Amino acid sequence: MTAWDDVRDLIDKCDADGVARLVVTLDGDARREVARRLPGHLKEIRLHLDSWRGAGGRAEALRAAGAGTIATATAVASWLTRRGLVGADRRIGDTQRLLDLVGTRPHTWQADLAARLAGRLRGRDPSYELAAALIHRTGVEPPADDGFVVGWVSAAPGHGRVADVLAADPLLDALLPRIFDAQGVGEALQWDGDPTSDRTWLGGLRTLAAEGRVDRAMLLDGCVGRFLRGGTALELRFFVRLHRALEPTRAELTSRARDYLRLLPSAPGTVAELALGHVRELPGVSPGDFAEAVEALMYRPEKKLVRAGLSWLDRSVRLSPEHAGAAAGALTTAFAHDASDVQERAVRLAVRHAAHLDPEPLREAAASLPTDLRADLRAGLGVAERPGEEEEPVLLVAPRLPVVELPPPVTTVAELGAEFARLAADPYSRLGWLETERLTAGLVELTHRDREAVRAALSAVPVREWGWSENADPLAWLWAAMRAVAFPSRPSSAPRFPGPGHVSVPHALTLRRMAELVTAARADALPPVLLATPTSAGGHVDPAELLARLERLEAVGVDPPDADLQQALLRIPRRVDAEVAARAARLTTPAGRLVARWMAGEGLADPVVTVRYSYAAGASRRWFDEGEPPYHSNARAASFVAASPVELDLVDSLCRDPQTYVHGRDGYISWWAGVMPSHREVVAAHLLPFLDWDQPERGPGLSILHDLARADGPLGPAFATMLAFHLNDEDPAGRTAALDLFLVLSATGDLPAADLGDRLGHLFRTGMATLSRVIPSLAEAERAGAGAQVWRTVAATLPHLVPIDRERPLSGLADLISLGVRSAPPGDTTPVPGLAVIAARGGSSRTVREALRLTRLLSPWLFPA
């Protein structure tokens, strides 16, 4: 056996001490051989272990082998800090063993290794102790590398007082100033939080500063300098605590006042809070500095800091009226704040200090205040509202929905053959509903025009195999129709229509149309044209084009397929030109007379859709409105449709209660908006059972809601439920997209705001949605100019959230009421059931205050001046 075989066996036995004893006995050639083979063996070990575990229990043995055989200090440092040799938890205690192994090397070599190790350390690296010991042994100057400093603060202080350990540490004077600069120190000490303990860094440094062992000024300057360089709240947490633990004196604060002021605009919240606390205690802050600081605080996102800034403003103006001019700018900024309680506080301060303030800038800034606060401000300042001075309404500019283009028709036999050949070449191909309509219409019309040419083109298309069992894929049925046209004399099987409960009703209509084509193609009786092929991307058929198609069928004496006729009726626009309707009245066939009645407005009246919510109760389901459970799971929404029958089986089936359970998941829900483009709320009712609160990605996405937005007809609770679902999306990007749809529907006047508010109220009350997700989107809509729609939404939501008896209000209710205050149009007196109950709860909570504000706004006669 070679020396390498012996070393490898000891490594595999995790015998680090055995490796250390063996390598010191090896000659130069054997050491070079071991050093050469180590990297490969480490790779083999890691192949058999999870990558996060590194070399596992073999790590110390591998480190000993490398330290004893690798020639250069650079290579040893690289080996000892190699990923995989520091352990998954970085707990390796082999410092003394490695010191003994490298102790035989020259002094300069050891000093070089110490420097190389210090430069390669990353965070809590077990090689830090070796580097520190070598520095102490060789007497070289301690390195200033970030990794070495992090290793120093991360090293366990043992069982003694941290102050004693640090005071005796020869590295203290060199490394302590570096903790404020080295990246990673803040994270390493983030959990060091008790300045009164003698076993924490905070307590140790506080003691050393008190004893004069370390310079207080250096610690304070280091903290402030670290704040000014920036960082996250987590990175700066330790330094904030250290600064507080040092309890700086008035003189120490005064000498650093400019730095504290510089921190107020953009430092992390905890740092800005610390700085503000110190600045507020300093005397003699100049009016210019005061103005800059307090106005910067008004732009902070943290309401706590904004309120603290207003308190500072109040106290400063009371003590030093010369600060009043500087305060005006901050107050006008606060008037435009998103939080109503901040606006209310700013108005109170403006009124309180009106004698010292110039009313003109305050009057001009009042336009951004809600109506009630604007009136309070002007009354307090003693100024009247000037003509034209009222707030100008924000013009609503809604985003545009993605454009959907209608694909061009298939007009040639060659194009038809190429389309089917493309589908045959890709066994996983699927068509959208518009592409399917296009290809189906092309097959029917071209076959009627030139049957032999179509047969010749399609007979050359490779056969695509389908599982001709129960099949809900429209493409399978289209393929069956194509094969029947191409090979009329060859018997072929066809899909079997799905059974009850295996396909949703809107999709069943699509399949019925396709099944009719298969039957007609087998009988060589395809019609000249399909009535229901849409002429717009939304699914409608132009009434004049529909009449032309009917006249074409009448001319050749062909009746339209039944399902195709019913689909065409559902695609008639809600508004038909009178001249076209009069022309339709001249049709003589039963199908023509039926279409004429629908064009005259005698077709399907708008069905009534209602929505209820259920929850799982053991093996059964119960309705929320029959008693709210203490705990619920697997919540679902169910829709109910009521309509007067029109004596057409497929149309009437669409206007019955949607199925609450469909076998599997319907992959064709994106087709449904085109089935009933003039009755989109009915489509939404059929979509609702697929809404999954537990797995949102599986339900109707926003693209489907966009299709409904492009369609026609009133929207109601079913659509509102889906929009509420997306406004409550966990993903902020999803909520933003839902807000865009809210604005689009607001701009077109189609938003069912009252239904949306009613649905949101149910969802908030049952815990299926949270106010903190939805309110920011509604607030953004109000700022974008959709205030009237937001108000109707809020007014319909609030009655569901009225606390019962001594029930605690839902978190965020105050923000919702405040949004109502901002969005309610001037002079609106819409009653909000339950609002008076909230206002009468008493106390000084923000919820009660906001309820009183909204009550006063809606019922001013109850609060005479």
Side-chain angles (χ1 to χ4, degrees):
M1 292 180 62
T2 64
W4 164 244
D5 294 328
D6 293 334
V7 171
R8 182 187 57 198
D9 290 345
L10 291 171
I11 291 172
D12 292 341
K13 293 176 183 178
C14 304
D15 186 356
D17 290 331
V19 170
R21 287 192 297 270
L22 176 58
V23 295
V24 296
T25 66
L26 300 179
D27 60 22
D29 291 339
R31 290 189 180 190
R32 283 188 289 272
E33 176 65 14
V34 170
R36 186 179 67 82
R37 304 289 289 271
L38 280 174
H41 191 53
L42 174 60
K43 185 176 181 180
E44 292 176 5
I45 292 171
R46 297 194 68 187
L47 286 175
H48 296 88
L49 295 174
D50 294 328
S51 60
W52 65 270
R53 293 174 57 193
R58 300 176 178 87
E60 289 194 19
L62 286 164
R63 287 162 61 87
T69 62
I70 298 174
T72 67
T74 301
V76 171
S78 175
W79 176 255
L80 293 179
T81 56
R82 189 167 184 162
R83 186 180 179 185
L85 289 184
V86 295
D89 55 5
R90 296 180 178 259
R91 294 177 182 173
I92 292 180
D94 60 355
T95 300
Q96 189 57 50
R97 182 187 304 117
L98 297 180
L99 276 174
D100 293 340
L101 284 169
V102 301
T104 59
R105 310 286 185 115
H107 182 275
T108 54
W109 189 97
Q110 294 182 50
D112 188 24
L113 176 61
R116 303 284 182 181
L117 282 174
R120 299 182 66 90
L121 297 178
R122 296 293 182 269
R124 298 173 182 266
D125 197 303
S127 295
Y128 161 75
E129 293 184 4
L130 176 61
L134 288 172
I135 290 170
H136 180 69
R137 173 187 288 180
T138 60
V140 298
E141 182 179 351
D145 302 272
D146 287 1
F148 187 73
V149 178
V150 173
W152 180 62
V153 300
S154 302
H159 299 289
R161 294 171 67 241
V162 171
D164 296 337
V165 174
L166 290 176
D169 190 339
L171 299 177
L172 175 67
D173 294 329
L175 296 187
L176 183 58
R178 281 281 294 129
I179 70 171
F180 303 103
D181 303 320
Q183 190 66 33
V185 170
E187 294 94 324
L189 295 176
Q190 60 181 296
W191 304 116
D192 194 283
D194 185 1
T196 64
S197 171
D198 59 6
R199 297 186 180 276
T200 64
W201 269 79
L202 287 174
L205 292 178
R206 183 185 185 189
T207 299
L208 293 178
E211 295 173 351
R213 174 63 179 84
V214 299
D215 185 5
R216 276 179 60 85
M218 181 270 294
L219 294 179
L220 287 172
D221 289 339
C223 288
V224 174
R226 186 66 184 87
F227 299 152
L228 291 171
R229 281 192 295 277
T232 66
L234 184 66
E235 293 169 339
L236 300 178
R237 177 188 293 172
F238 170 78
F239 303 106
V240 170
R241 291 170 173 169
L242 176 59
H243 194 284
R244 285 203 174 102
L246 292 172
E247 299 176 345
T249 64
R250 177 69 61 87
E252 289 171 329
L253 294 175
T254 302
S255 65
R256 298 170 177 84
R258 288 295 302 164
D259 291 329
Y260 294 131
L261 289 169
R262 290 169 58 195
L263 293 170
L264 295 179
S266 58
T270 53
V271 177
E273 184 179 351
L274 171 77
L276 178 58
H278 291 323
V279 170
R280 291 177 60 177
E281 301 304 320
L282 294 179
V285 177
S286 69
D289 287 343
F290 172 75
E292 181 181 348
V294 76
E295 189 164 356
L297 287 169
M298 296 303 103
Y299 288 103
R300 296 285 314 196
E302 305 92 346
K303 285 171 54 176
K304 181 179 180 181
L305 283 172
V306 177
R307 288 194 292 264
L310 289 174
S311 297
W312 183 31
L313 182 152
D314 182 28
R315 191 183 70 170
S316 297
V317 174
R318 279 192 285 109
L319 297 177
S320 304
E322 66 270 15
H323 284 108
L331 290 174
T332 58
T333 303
F335 289 169
H337 200 277
D338 291 339
S340 62
D341 56 331
V342 170
Q343 293 178 312
E344 185 178 7
R345 182 100 180 263
V347 168
R348 287 204 309 268
L349 293 181
V351 172
R352 179 181 301 167
H353 301 294
H356 305 292
L357 297 173
D358 180 359
E360 281 308 309
L362 297 175
R363 177 208 292 270
E364 294 173 3
S368 58
L369 289 169
T371 304
D372 61 329
L373 294 181
R374 189 163 61 244
D376 291 346
L377 176 66
R378 286 178 173 141
L381 295 178
V383 296
E385 185 170 343
R386 296 170 182 168
E389 196 176 40
E390 65 275 0
E391 181 182 8
E392 294 185 6
V394 178
L395 180 64
L396 173 58
V397 179
R400 296 177 62 87
L401 291 176
V403 177
V404 177
E405 299 287 349
L406 183 71
V410 177
T411 57
T412 67
V413 173
E415 186 181 1
L416 181 69
E419 288 290 339
F420 277 104
R422 179 180 62 82
L423 293 175
D426 182 4
Y428 301 102
S429 61
R430 292 188 65 177
L431 294 178
W433 76 274
L434 284 172
E435 290 79 9
T436 302
E437 291 278 2
R438 165 181 177 265
L439 193 54
T440 304
L443 175 65
V444 170
E445 294 186 35
L446 290 172
T447 299
H448 185 269
R449 185 187 309 165
D450 192 344
R451 191 179 309 272
E452 294 306 319
V454 170
R455 284 176 177 169
L458 297 183
S459 62
V461 175
V463 176
R464 177 172 174 178
E465 299 296 336
W466 293 87
W468 294 129
S469 57
E470 188 175 283
N471 202 314
D473 189 345
L475 187 55
W477 292 84
L478 176 59
W479 200 265
M482 184 276 284
R483 302 302 294 175
V485 170
F487 305 103
S489 60
R490 184 186 303 174
S492 62
S493 58
R496 190 171 71 249
F497 203 86
H502 284 221
V503 66
S504 298
V505 176
H507 193 55
L509 172 55
T510 299
L511 294 182
R512 277 278 296 274
R513 288 182 65 209
M514 305 304 291
E516 286 179 340
L517 293 184
V518 173
T519 301
R522 287 178 170 176
D524 203 11
L526 286 173
V529 66
L530 294 176
L531 295 181
T533 302
T535 57
S536 73
H540 284 110
V541 179
D542 179 73
E545 175 61 24
L546 177 56
L547 289 187
R549 293 171 183 175
L550 278 166
E551 290 166 348
R552 184 176 173 186
L553 292 180
E554 283 192 2
V556 296
V558 174
D559 291 328
D562 180 58
D564 188 51
L565 173 60
Q566 294 191 50
Q567 176 64 91
L569 294 172
L570 291 171
R571 287 178 172 169
I572 295 175
R574 296 176 70 88
R575 290 163 291 280
V576 178
D577 184 76
E579 183 178 339
V580 175
R583 178 180 153 199
R586 295 193 288 270
L587 295 172
T588 59
T589 63
R593 291 195 297 271
L594 179 60
V595 169
R597 289 199 300 273
W598 279 61
M599 286 189 178
E602 301 175 13
L604 177 64
D606 288 323
V608 177
V609 176
T610 56
V611 175
R612 296 176 74 187
Y613 301 100
S614 66
Y615 62 94
S620 61
R621 300 194 67 80
R622 297 181 182 175
W623 299 107
F624 277 110
D625 51 20
E626 293 177 352
E628 188 175 334
Y631 172 78
H632 63 83
S633 63
N634 194 17
R636 289 182 188 165
S639 52
F640 302 88
V641 181
S644 300
V646 293
E647 307 304 329
L648 297 170
D649 61 333
L650 293 174
V651 175
D652 287 338
S653 68
L654 285 165
C655 298
R656 300 190 188 103
D657 294 345
Q659 295 163 269
T660 57
Y661 174 76
V662 177
H663 179 70
R665 305 301 299 179
D666 199 317
Y668 299 94
I669 58 177
S670 61
W671 295 38
W672 295 359
V675 173
M676 299 183 75
S678 292
H679 297 87
R680 52 187 172 180
E681 177 66 7
V682 178
V683 177
H686 284 279
L687 289 167
L688 209 53
F690 294 89
L691 207 60
D692 193 330
W693 256 263
D694 296 323
Q695 298 182 14
E697 70 281 356
R698 300 182 64 187
L702 273 168
S703 62
I704 295 177
L705 269 65
H706 289 167
D707 292 338
L708 295 178
R710 298 186 194 94
D712 204 354
L715 292 170
F719 179 88
T721 299
M722 291 191 290
L723 180 55
F725 175 85
H726 288 287
L727 286 169
N728 186 61
D729 197 331
E730 290 183 359
D731 183 4
R735 297 198 293 272
T736 300
L739 167 62
D740 288 345
L741 182 57
F742 182 104
L743 294 174
V744 167
L745 294 172
S746 297
T748 60
D750 293 332
L751 180 74
D755 285 312
L756 177 61
D758 183 65
R759 295 303 93 194
L760 284 171
H762 278 291
L763 297 175
F764 293 143
R765 186 73 189 178
T766 56
M768 298 163 70
T770 58
L771 286 156
S772 60
R773 289 183 187 166
V774 177
I775 289 177
S777 294
L778 295 180
E780 184 63 31
E782 188 270 334
R783 288 190 290 271
Q789 292 79 8
V790 170
W791 164 238
R792 290 199 293 272
T793 303
V794 171
T797 303
L798 284 174
H800 297 280
L801 307 184
V802 177
I804 301 173
D805 297 329
R806 302 308 299 172
E807 177 187 20
R808 182 174 183 154
L810 283 179
S811 175
L813 178 57
D815 292 325
L816 184 67
I817 302 174
S818 172
L819 181 57
V821 172
R822 295 202 303 273
S823 59
D828 193 296
T829 58
T830 302
V832 180
L835 180 62
V837 175
I838 302 175
R841 285 171 65 90
S844 59
S845 70
R846 182 169 170 244
T847 300
V848 172
R849 295 201 316 271
E850 296 294 348
L852 285 169
R853 286 183 63 202
L854 185 54
T855 303
R856 185 174 64 174
L857 190 66
L858 300 177
S859 308
W861 57 86
L862 298 177
F863 301 87

